[in-house]
Amino acid sequence: MKKHLVLIFGLVILNFYGWTQKNSLIMDNSKYETATFGAGCFWCVEAIYESVRGVNEVYSGYAGGLTKNPNYNQIGTGKTGHAEAVEVIYDAKLVSFETLVRIFFGSHDPTTPNRQGPDYGSQYRSIAFYASNEERDIIQDYIQILEKGGYFSK
């Protein structure tokens, strides 16, 4: 029987509604692509992506919820719907979206609901955003690889 990867993360159309951290800085990122992931504490996730060749910048913030411009204290209540997330600004000539997705899944356990390491709450859920059907397919295809390989079997 096919083992199913528990899909803790939502695959949703990219939505920066409520994105609150450093994104207000004025930078010319027009030649770069953007990817957004939530994999627990955004400071830890930010550090991982900052070390990747081809990544220009990584911003920590909140995404996926309905509360407009939430602050850290609001996020901690679990009532905003947002997850701690990172916006990865990258040069697609040097690193692919697929590589960023592999890093996302390789850096945390997406089968632990609302928890990563010692951090718990809905704001620490695993969530991968996509901005196109192609990105959605890359994420879903990689999930199938993980499911077939039993990488997150309990």
Side-chain angles (χ1 to χ4, degrees):
M1 178 169 210
K2 181 178 176 184
K3 294 181 182 179
H4 294 282
L5 174 66
V6 179
L7 299 179
I8 302 307
F9 49 91
L11 297 176
V12 295
I13 295 176
L14 185 59
N15 175 355
F16 292 110
Y17 187 76
W19 197 263
T20 62
Q21 295 290 336
K22 298 184 259 182
N23 65 325
S24 62
L25 297 175
I26 299 172
M27 293 181 71
D28 180 16
N29 286 321
S30 60
K31 65 179 182 176
Y32 298 103
E33 301 293 326
T34 302
T36 305
F37 304 102
C41 171
F42 51 42
W43 301 121
C44 299
V45 179
E46 181 178 336
I48 292 166
Y49 281 106
E50 284 178 335
S51 69
V52 176
R53 183 176 179 268
V55 170
N56 183 51
E57 189 62 69
V58 182
Y59 300 117
S60 292
Y62 310 107
L66 299 176
T67 302
K68 187 175 181 178
N69 299 320
N71 62 41
Y72 186 79
N73 290 330
Q74 290 173 308
I75 294 294
T77 69
K79 296 178 182 177
T80 68
H82 286 286
E84 289 196 9
V86 294
E87 179 183 53
V88 181
I89 311 298
Y90 67 99
D91 184 338
K93 294 175 186 167
L94 298 175
V95 64
S96 68
F97 181 79
E98 181 177 357
T99 296
L100 299 176
V101 168
R102 289 174 180 265
I103 292 167
F104 167 73
F105 283 108
S107 64
H108 76 295
D109 181 351
T111 66
T112 55
N114 300 326
R115 180 181 198 109
Q116 290 302 319
D119 299 320
Y120 60 92
S122 62
Q123 69 272 26
Y124 298 111
R125 70 186 179 274
S126 179
I127 186 166
F129 294 88
Y130 60 85
S132 69
N133 289 337
E134 180 183 1
E135 288 181 357
R136 180 198 62 212
D137 293 346
I138 290 169
I139 295 166
Q140 290 177 335
D141 290 348
Y142 199 66
I143 290 169
Q144 289 180 1
I145 290 169
L146 295 173
E147 286 177 339
K148 288 178 184 174
Y151 289 99
F152 293 106
S153 302
K154 298 283 178 179

